[in-house]
Amino acid sequence: MIFSSGNFDVKDTNGNILFKVKNVFAFMRRRRVLLDGAGNPIATLREKAMSRHRRWQVFRGDGSDPRDLIFSAKISSLWSFKTTKLNVFLANNTREDVCDFRVVEGSSWLFEPSSCTIYAGKSSAIVAQMLEKQTVKSIFLGKNNFMVTVHPNVDYAFIVALIVILDEINRAGSGSSSSGGVAGGGGGGG
């Protein structure tokens, strides 16, 4: 996965582009569109306005019709200082008593690689992991590269959307911008 001025290129281990993520101007909220390798919109990621827990909603295609909602993600606690945890709720989980997936961010100390692990619900079953690859290019040019490993039978686009949301929340908290890339990893479905 390559971050560049808030845009992402997601490539497989052979360098083929699987997905692109583009910034889309939206008044008073952040919005991203996830595109397939050919540039067709797969999903729209939209920050919900006036949300206490920084909720993001993900819709099919390039729109935001409530009928096209796929899932939403929000910070699990406003008081988490060391790690960001996202609770992810699929569209049919309207009560949101228990999350369907959760994202736990690892260390993000200075000069230490960033990482995150995505779990199925409240279980310890890992569905994907992301680890920053520190290179001379990433340190001196600000081009962040990440290795993402997706377990079998897990949708790559879903995982990319979660990583983009986590990055957006972290960037909003730090006031910085990302630039760089992600290389694909093993595992599941697309």
Side-chain angles (χ1 to χ4, degrees):
M1 187 176 282
I2 296 177
F3 299 89
S4 180
S5 302
N7 293 324
F8 296 76
D9 285 338
V10 180
K11 299 178 181 182
D12 65 16
T13 53
N14 296 319
N16 301 313
I17 294 178
L18 299 175
F19 303 104
K20 294 181 179 195
V21 180
K22 300 290 182 190
N23 271 330
V24 177
F25 178 76
F27 183 70
M28 298 287 292
R29 67 176 73 157
R30 291 174 290 169
R31 185 171 174 241
R32 301 293 196 90
V33 176
L34 176 62
L35 308 167
D36 65 15
N40 300 308
I42 297 172
T44 298
L45 293 66
R46 189 181 77 175
E47 182 180 33
K48 190 169 182 183
M50 309 295 271
S51 172
R52 232 181 46 172
H53 285 274
R54 292 177 163 166
R55 181 180 294 269
W56 280 74
Q57 296 174 308
V58 178
F59 300 89
R60 276 181 200 79
D62 61 358
S64 58
D65 186 317
R67 293 174 297 186
D68 291 329
L69 180 68
I70 302 168
F71 70 90
S72 65
K74 67 178 185 174
I75 292 177
S76 60
S77 171
L78 295 175
W79 308 108
S80 177
F81 296 108
K82 290 188 178 181
T83 61
T84 300
K85 294 181 182 178
L86 297 178
N87 286 335
V88 181
F89 304 95
L90 298 178
N92 62 355
N93 183 355
T94 55
R95 292 186 57 193
E96 296 187 354
D97 291 336
V98 178
C99 62
D100 297 294
F101 295 89
R102 62 191 166 91
V103 181
V104 178
E105 188 175 35
S107 178
S108 58
W109 294 97
L110 188 61
F111 302 118
E112 199 170 313
S114 299
S115 67
C116 77
T117 303
I118 301 168
Y119 297 93
K122 294 287 185 180
S123 76
S124 61
I126 296 172
V127 297
Q129 292 178 299
M130 183 271 303
L131 178 65
E132 183 177 14
K133 292 171 48 177
Q134 289 189 334
T135 63
V136 172
K137 193 177 189 180
S138 69
I139 293 169
F140 291 109
L141 299 178
K143 298 262 184 201
N144 300 331
N145 286 287
F146 298 90
M147 175 62 80
V148 179
T149 303
V150 180
H151 289 244
N153 303 315
V154 177
D155 189 326
Y156 286 172
F158 173 67
I159 300 303
V160 170
L162 290 176
I163 292 171
V164 170
I165 290 168
L166 182 65
D167 180 67
E168 281 291 325
I169 288 170
N170 286 339
R171 286 183 339 125
S174 69
S176 67
S177 64
S178 295
S179 61
V182 173

